[in-house]
Amino acid sequence: MAEQYRLEYPRPQFVREPWMNLNGEWEFEFDDSQLGEPEKWHLGERPLSRRIQVPFAFQSSLSGIGDPGFHDTVWYRRELDIPEHFRGKKILLHFGAVDYEASVWVNGILVATHEGGHTPFSADISGALASGDQKNILVVKAVDYSKDVTLPRGKQYWKSDSASIFYTRTTGIWQTVWMEAVSSVYLEKVKFTPDIDRNCIEIRSFIKGFLKEEGLKLQVDISFEGQPVSSDIYSVRNAQESRSINLADFNDHGLGRWWTPERPNLYDVTFTLRDGDTILDEVTSYFGMRKISIESGKLCLNNRAYFMKLVLDQGYFPDGNLTPPSDDAIRRDVELTKEMGFNGARKHQKLEDPRYLYWCDKLGLLVWGEAANAYEYSEEYVRRFTSEWQESIERDYNHPSVVVWVPLNESWGVPNIAVDKQQQQHAQAMYHLTKSLDPMRPVVSNDGWELVSTDLFNIHDYEWRREVLEERYSSVEKAVSGRPGYRKLAVEGFPYQDQPILITEFGGVAYKKSDWDGWGYSGADNDEDFTARLRAVIHPLLLSGVVQGYCYTQLTDVEQEINGLLTYDRQPKLPLEVIRAINEGK
């Protein structure tokens, strides 16, 4: 197994040297008999019998294993070589995502535990490293709960074979593992909050490590397309410092530097942390000046009404499952989405790889950030989900492409929300929790139907007849009183309150153009029929006057679903320009 994948920098919104990618071949073992703990595999003394390509889950073919069976406890092991230029520094070990629970040991010392299958975690492993030239052994135990339907799991099926809208499971490491070296005092993170109305950027800096009484300074240099915009140096006396920096730029009339899908302008930032003349840390980052708001019932981007044309994107790949096979594959998904005339994507039931958000920031694509939901409700689910959702918002707060938060979808995790007050309170809590963590972005309480408090009134409607859609969305009253899918759009006591109306799942036209067999919500026989069916569902929403955006189901075929605009291996079913023309109302 000589291949090695996913060597690109994994955290492009916060870049630091030196770093070291740990993807590639690791030792691996299924632990179906639960022998690992009593036999003390965590000590790293016992070699594991299999080999796996990290960061691909064992269920995927790119892992080198390709076993779709149930193996809920797995172990990983590898030697950890510490580069010479890391010596004398604090060494941080990072995991992009491990599904679902992870325990991490270095030389038999527990350095980290984490719960949550989609969010990152880190550990300072400096104190666990062996001295001199002695070998260091890294061991990871991952525990999944494949049949627990109260687990936040997204589209991972709890039965043996994929079926309906559910797909192959993911267990263990499925995003990049890497190390970086930092000083004893370093910049842990930053938070960017743009304000286009005052033409300033608020930057909150978080410093980790012992702070001296004086001498510590943070320099912030901002540039645009290589030209300096601002340089600020200030003393660091607290673990958190905040500055609001006026950008003094053109801001509109086609001359501006605001971020939009059409003009994805980004400012570059360099942070330099100094102790006197000594540089302790240097990090490069970026931000976009953009505003998403609701003004007089209109969904606005940068204070102007903006019609969102989204595509539902499950983020699955034939050979990597939830893990994209390469950075080029990630970028190509963004490019294909834009080339078909969409200005955004709703990442569905998955917290996507940060590299995807980077390319959306860079190339210009709106993203709706959505949680991987559970299927049933329990108090334990609430604890798990609330924690992971907070980590999700924290991870992606700085990305200008992320414009809407969707904690819940189609009553997943809250199946009795229409009548169960406890489940209603949970959905309410998630709405208000999200607003408390991020006041910038609209929040959808339960995308599709059975809404409680919500900023957007989102409807899922797989009607395929043009005349029915034209009538249904000919007025606000008809739109909000409809019952597509035989579900009430709002929970009793939460009436429609003039929110923007969007159709956030629709279409789903099945069209077989590959070796995959499967299903969709309606079917096309040939290219001409497929083209006509796309027009029949998209044009009524474009021409409605009531609808302010849509999200077509879906970008690609996925396993047993053949309702994509692209096949599972990303081949267009129609010329991209034909789909673009339909999105343009032609």
Side-chain angles (χ1 to χ4, degrees):
M1 190 189 295
E3 298 88 357
Q4 193 168 18
Y5 301 88
R6 302 304 306 273
L7 298 181
E8 67 281 345
Y9 193 84
R11 192 186 56 197
Q13 226 279 329
F14 195 77
V15 178
R16 173 190 285 122
E17 296 283 356
W19 76 287
M20 180 179 178
N21 195 309
L22 297 178
N23 291 343
E25 185 175 280
W26 292 40
E27 295 177 18
F28 182 78
E29 201 80 86
F30 295 131
D31 191 11
D32 300 339
S33 300
Q34 299 297 307
L35 298 175
E37 290 287 354
E39 294 183 359
K40 295 183 170 51
W41 294 0
H42 68 276
L43 296 177
E45 297 168 352
R46 174 193 184 276
L48 305 181
S49 66
R50 293 175 178 262
R51 298 295 181 270
I52 191 170
Q53 278 288 335
V54 168
F56 299 99
F58 70 77
Q59 292 94 339
S60 71
S61 61
L62 283 177
S63 72
I65 296 176
D67 182 345
F70 290 96
H71 304 285
D72 279 4
T73 301
V74 297
W75 291 77
Y76 300 79
R77 179 184 182 273
R78 65 161 288 161
E79 288 190 17
L80 204 56
D81 295 321
I82 307 301
E84 188 61 37
H85 59 285
F86 276 37
R87 305 284 180 180
K89 290 181 173 287
K90 188 188 296 284
I91 298 175
L92 306 180
L93 175 66
H94 298 279
F95 292 82
V98 181
D99 199 346
Y100 175 75
E101 290 176 354
S103 300
V104 182
W105 294 266
V106 174
N107 299 326
I109 299 172
L110 183 67
V111 295
T113 60
H114 182 261
E115 181 182 50
H118 283 73
T119 49
F121 63 98
S122 304
D124 177 358
I125 64 172
S126 309
L129 294 174
S131 58
D133 295 327
Q134 297 179 65
K135 288 194 302 186
N136 294 285
I137 302 297
L138 169 61
V139 175
V140 178
K141 176 188 177 184
V143 180
D144 204 359
Y145 302 93
S146 299
K147 298 182 181 181
D148 183 351
V149 294
T150 69
L151 196 76
R153 62 190 314 115
K155 289 299 192 81
Q156 302 178 51
Y157 204 20
W158 51 89
K159 296 184 179 180
S160 296
D161 300 318
S162 300
S164 182
I165 60 171
F166 299 102
Y167 317 130
T168 302
R169 291 168 299 283
T170 292
T171 297
I173 298 170
W174 66 277
Q175 288 187 20
T176 292
V177 186
W178 56 293
M179 292 190 302
E180 64 180 342
V182 298
S183 299
S184 58
V185 180
Y186 64 99
L187 186 62
E188 182 183 27
K189 64 182 179 180
V190 297
K191 296 189 80 169
F192 296 113
T193 303
D195 185 340
I196 70 167
D197 299 326
R198 295 192 301 128
N199 203 26
C200 66
I201 182 75
E202 182 192 57
I203 303 177
R204 294 167 63 196
S205 306
F206 297 80
I207 311 299
K208 189 83 168 179
F210 175 73
L211 297 183
K212 302 189 332 181
E213 289 295 322
E214 56 185 30
L216 202 62
K217 295 184 182 295
L218 184 64
Q219 179 173 334
V220 182
D221 295 304
I222 301 174
S223 63
F224 183 84
E225 295 182 348
Q227 298 300 310
V229 172
S230 172
S231 184
D232 192 21
I233 303 176
Y234 50 89
S235 297
V236 176
R237 300 189 182 278
N238 303 290
Q240 177 183 332
E241 296 282 357
S242 180
R243 291 293 186 276
S244 183
I245 299 174
N246 192 295
L247 298 175
D249 285 338
F250 292 113
N251 57 21
D252 208 349
H253 305 296
L255 301 172
R257 295 172 174 176
W258 289 348
W259 187 97
T260 68
E262 296 74 26
R263 298 183 65 190
N265 294 317
L266 295 174
Y267 289 80
D268 295 307
V269 191
T270 299
F271 295 94
T272 307
L273 185 66
R274 301 176 187 273
D275 181 6
D277 295 330
T278 302
I279 295 178
L280 299 178
D281 197 8
E282 188 170 69
V283 173
T284 58
S285 186
Y286 66 85
F287 63 85
M289 293 297 292
R290 67 97 188 88
K291 176 184 178 182
I292 182 76
S293 62
I294 298 167
E295 312 290 345
S296 302
K298 295 294 184 182
L299 182 57
C300 296
L301 178 64
N302 298 339
N303 295 326
R304 285 168 173 74
Y306 191 90
F307 195 98
M308 293 196 181
K309 301 177 183 180
L310 312 178
V311 67
L312 192 78
D313 184 352
Q314 312 268 11
Y316 271 77
F317 293 83
D319 45 4
N321 298 353
L322 279 178
T323 308
S326 68
D327 194 49
D328 287 342
I330 297 173
R331 176 174 181 155
R332 188 59 185 145
D333 273 6
V334 177
E335 292 172 338
L336 286 165
T337 300
K338 288 179 67 72
E339 287 170 22
M340 288 188 288
F342 296 99
N343 55 32
R346 179 176 163 222
K347 294 304 293 195
H348 192 42
Q349 291 298 306
K350 177 189 182 185
L351 185 68
E352 191 51 274
D353 190 302
R355 297 290 310 184
Y356 176 86
L357 298 180
Y358 165 75
W359 286 117
C360 291
D361 294 341
K362 194 88 173 168
L363 301 177
L365 192 70
L366 304 175
V367 179
W368 286 26
E370 181 176 324
N373 289 152
Y375 204 63
E376 296 290 344
Y377 184 86
S378 72
E379 287 79 2
E380 178 67 1
Y381 145 76
V382 172
R383 182 193 65 78
R384 287 167 162 169
F385 182 74
T386 302
S387 176
E388 188 168 3
W389 183 238
Q390 290 179 81
E391 292 179 356
S392 302
I393 296 169
E394 172 76 16
R395 195 199 77 170
D396 294 344
Y397 180 91
N398 286 340
H399 288 281
S401 59
V402 177
V403 292
V404 175
W405 294 119
V406 184
L408 297 174
N409 169 73
E410 288 189 347
S411 302
W412 286 31
V414 285
N416 298 319
I417 190 173
V419 295
D420 189 319
K421 299 293 186 184
Q422 187 176 8
Q423 294 182 18
Q424 291 172 19
Q425 291 291 352
H426 171 60
Q428 284 285 91
M430 296 312 301
Y431 170 81
H432 290 292
L433 173 65
T434 307
K435 302 288 284 186
S436 75
L437 296 172
D438 181 359
M440 290 192 296
R441 297 172 172 96
V443 180
V444 182
S445 64
N446 184 24
D447 204 275
W449 53 61
E450 295 171 345
L451 290 153
V452 289
S453 294
T454 187
D455 295 329
L456 304 176
F457 200 88
N458 290 356
I459 302 169
H460 294 180
D461 188 346
Y462 284 103
E463 175 58 55
W464 56 273
R465 293 167 295 180
R466 179 172 189 143
E467 63 275 12
V468 175
L469 291 171
E470 288 175 338
E471 173 64 20
R472 185 173 290 163
Y473 299 107
S474 61
S475 71
V476 170
E477 292 74 19
K478 290 178 181 178
V480 301
S481 61
R483 294 187 67 170
Y486 305 102
R487 298 271 195 151
K488 286 186 177 181
L489 297 178
V491 170
E492 187 174 349
F494 297 92
Y496 174 70
Q497 294 183 314
D498 299 322
Q499 299 102 325
I501 297 170
L502 292 90
I503 313 305
T504 47
E505 284 189 33
F506 77 108
V509 180
Y511 185 28
K512 178 177 170 62
K513 290 216 58 172
S514 69
D515 294 334
W516 285 279
D517 290 312
W519 67 277
Y521 294 90
S522 64
D525 298 322
N526 51 51
D527 286 8
E528 184 179 34
D529 187 28
F530 190 43
T531 302
R533 288 177 180 271
L534 290 179
R535 283 200 182 99
V537 294
I538 290 175
H539 284 184
L541 305 184
L542 281 172
L543 300 172
S544 159
V546 169
V547 175
Q548 297 189 38
Y550 57 68
C551 179
Y552 182 85
T553 304
Q554 60 185 331
L555 180 65
T556 74
D557 295 346
V558 184
E559 297 194 1
Q560 70 279 355
E561 294 186 27
I562 58 168
N563 51 8
L565 297 168
L566 313 172
T567 63
Y568 201 6
D569 58 355
R570 275 54 179 179
Q571 298 303 308
K573 295 184 180 180
L574 291 172
L576 300 177
E577 60 270 19
V578 171
I579 300 172
R580 170 180 282 277
I582 294 171
N583 268 320
E584 292 171 349
K586 301 173 184 175

